[in-house]
Amino acid sequence: MVGPGGHRNIHGKRHSDYAENGGGKRRNPGDDTYAPGPDDTVYRYLCVSRKIGSIIGRGGEIAKQLRNETQAKIRIGESVPGCDERVITIFSPSGETNTIEDTEDKVCPAQDALFRVHEKLATDDGPVNEENEEGLGQVTVRLLVPTDQIGCIIGKGGHIIQGIRSDTGSKIRVLSKEHLPACAISGDELLQFFEDPVSPTIDGYSSLTAKMQ
């Protein structure tokens, strides 16, 4: 689906909106100068600021390696005052050209890179995000999704998101606007994926992000 500015915006925004989130003004070692195309798959992953070094690496080495291994574009958003998270924008053509390690599953480069980013952060010391106050398990993924595209994930009457929950046992929530971080932009929704700390699984995460293509 193509947004009003001519760019597919299931996960991201038009070029000008990416610039607002640190895509154009100042370069940092994790930055990528390219912008998403009209048919690209785009994910906007929220990373705790103190862990961003796990993705950038010394002199941008880790980010560069992730780009080379997956052929996805990865952009690290600038820090926003009053916000302890930064946006990692990951995008690529939507063709399923990559194979997930140890499986036969085919995914697009952006989804492959998203899984690798998550894995690096998850294996870092401590949880990816703090445990939530409602006892839903550890928050492992927080994604920003445009309001006008959130229906692709929820489905009519909630049947898509409920199907993912039922099939995988995952806990997925779309939080209200007051929970949006300061690094979000106008029109964003906050999607959270909760992992069972006793028996974690990537199935729900995989199903959820596949619906976003």
Side-chain angles (χ1 to χ4, degrees), residues 35-210:
D39 297 317
D40 284 350
T41 291
V42 185
Y43 299 106
R44 293 165 61 222
Y45 184 106
L46 290 171
C47 174
V48 178
S49 296
R50 62 184 171 81
K51 291 194 172 187
I52 202 69
S54 298
I55 302 303
I56 297 176
R58 185 183 297 272
E61 180 181 352
I62 295 176
K64 182 179 179 180
Q65 180 182 3
L66 286 168
R67 294 186 189 111
N68 290 339
E69 290 177 350
T70 65
Q71 296 301 301
K73 307 299 182 184
I74 301 173
R75 175 182 298 159
I76 311 297
E78 298 289 347
S79 298
V80 175
C83 184
D84 64 355
E85 292 176 299
R86 290 170 68 175
V87 179
I88 302 176
T89 301
I90 304 169
F91 57 97
S92 75
S94 298
E96 296 179 343
T97 59
N98 294 24
T99 302
I100 297 297
E101 188 176 357
D102 298 328
T103 75
E104 297 300 320
D105 295 338
K106 287 287 188 179
V107 297
C108 72
Q111 193 176 15
D112 186 8
L114 181 69
F115 291 160
R116 292 176 189 238
V117 165
H118 172 65
E119 182 179 11
K120 282 188 175 294
L121 293 171
T123 55
D124 196 2
D125 291 339
V128 174
N129 286 288
E130 298 299 327
E131 188 169 318
N132 79 100
E133 68 277 8
E134 298 178 18
L136 291 175
Q138 182 179 302
V139 180
T140 59
V141 179
R142 284 161 58 88
L143 297 169
L144 294 174
V145 182
T147 299
D148 60 355
Q149 300 300 330
I150 200 70
C152 297
I153 300 166
I154 297 176
K156 187 176 181 180
H159 78 280
I160 294 178
I161 196 169
Q162 185 55 48
I164 296 174
R165 289 168 177 156
S166 299
D167 293 343
T168 67
S170 303
K171 299 177 178 66
I172 306 165
R173 293 275 303 276
V174 179
L175 273 66
S176 54
K177 293 289 187 181
E178 58 264 28
H179 293 284
L180 280 170
C183 57
I185 56 179
S186 177
D188 276 344
E189 299 277 359
L190 177 58
L191 184 69
Q192 288 192 168
F193 173 86
F194 301 93
E195 178 182 83
D196 183 346
V198 177
S199 55
T201 175
I202 196 65
D203 293 346
Y205 186 30
S206 178
S207 299
L208 176 67
T209 53

Side-chain angles (χ1 to χ4, degrees), residues 20-41:
E20 290 176 21
N21 247 342
K25 294 182 180 179
R26 290 181 294 167
R27 295 290 306 280
N28 64 46
D31 249 345
D32 195 304
T33 57
Y34 295 102
D39 297 317
D40 284 350
T41 291

